[in-house]
Amino acid sequence: MKKVTENSIHKNDSKQLARFAKALGHPTRIAILKHLESQSCCFTGDLVEIFPLAQSTISQHLKELKNAGLIQGEVNPPKIKYCINKENWKTAKGMFQGFFG
Amino acid sequence: MKKVTENSIHKNDSKQLARFAKALGHPTRIAILKHLESQSCCFTGDLVEIFPLAQSTISQHLKELKNAGLIQGEVNPPKIKYCINKENWKTAKGMFQGFFG
DNA sequence: ATTTCCAATCGTAAATGTACGATTGGAAAA
DNA sequence: TTTTCCAATCGTACATTTACGATTGGAAAT
């Protein structure tokens, strides 16, 4: 990035939709979300067993999904239980629906 | 990327959906697609006027959308007319719908 | 107090993405 | 043929992403 800040040239809608899309833009994250949809919830460790990826890598993907608002985690010591964030999920669904017409 | 190739560990569905999502993962590309949806078609130059971005940058975004299959361009010398690729658009729409349930 | 356990974070390396200006390519117009 | 025009591509710089192993953090168990 050099000259243009990319900050104010786009509408908020486009920015939010792009943010959601970006979070969905990796097959591992899609698979994590599919798993959460089917299981309703799961622990990080479950995912580490499912995917042949390092624990730190899974954690990073979860962090991105969390930052995008698509999932949420609640502590359940010593584990952490992750679920779909239903409210934002609905928002994302609506935005994609609206986008695709 | 170091150890895992990320090639065969995901289902094709997840990979394709992620590919579409990735293409949508930038506000400029969202905006381009919105514009194509509303106009049905447009030339590269139109977009260069709309967005405060270099011509080469717009071209790059168009290339990514084309590679993802979301748009197609037909030559109309000396211009190139870009349109939504309706077939793939429908596919993407269906995949997102299925994903969000 | 120490150990155990799970997950987050750190540090790092390599690949990819995003932007720019400059150059190239190819068709139409002069 | 030369010029003009539009868009693609090249070369480059810097940011971000993705992966790993190692370390840290915090709560529960010993």
Side-chain angles (χ1 to χ4, degrees), chain B:
Chain B
M1 233 176 287
K2 232 185 262 175
K3 293 279 170 58
V4 174
T5 33
E6 281 288 348
N7 216 349
S8 55
I9 75 173
H10 293 297
K11 292 182 187 149
N12 284 336
D13 262 19
S14 295
K15 285 200 280 185
Q16 180 55 50
L17 183 53
R19 213 171 288 134
F20 281 137
K22 195 175 184 180
L24 299 178
H26 193 285
T28 296
R29 291 195 290 271
I30 292 286
I32 288 173
L33 290 170
K34 278 188 180 173
H35 191 254
L36 286 178
E37 274 186 293
S38 69
Q39 304 277 97
S40 91
C41 279
C42 78
F43 301 109
T44 307
D46 301 345
L47 300 169
V48 174
E49 282 174 23
I50 294 173
F51 302 107
L53 294 169
Q55 178 261 322
S56 56
T57 303
I58 299 287
S59 244
Q60 249 177 336
H61 283 304
L62 288 170
K63 187 182 180 183
E64 279 192 61
L65 291 172
K66 204 167 53 180
N67 286 343
L70 292 170
I71 66 172
Q72 60 198 11
E74 64 177 63
V75 287
N76 203 335
K79 300 191 175 187
I80 292 183
K81 193 174 66 176
Y82 278 106
C83 313
I84 301 281
N85 181 323
K86 288 183 184 174
E87 203 175 312
N88 292 337
W89 188 261
K90 201 184 288 183
T91 302
K93 174 181 178 169
M95 293 189 78
F96 278 102
Q97 268 178 358
F99 178 72
F100 280 106

Side-chain angles (χ1 to χ4, degrees), chain A residues 1 4 6 43-45 55-56 59 78-80 82:
Chain A
M1 236 176 286
V4 174
E6 281 288 348
F43 301 109
T44 308
Q55 177 261 321
S56 55
S59 244
K79 301 191 176 185
I80 291 183
Y82 279 106

Side-chain angles (χ1 to χ4, degrees), chain A residues 66 69-72 83-91:
Chain A
K66 205 166 52 179
L70 292 170
I71 66 171
Q72 60 198 11
C83 314
I84 300 281
N85 181 322
K86 288 183 184 174
E87 203 176 312
N88 291 337
W89 188 262
K90 200 184 289 182
T91 302

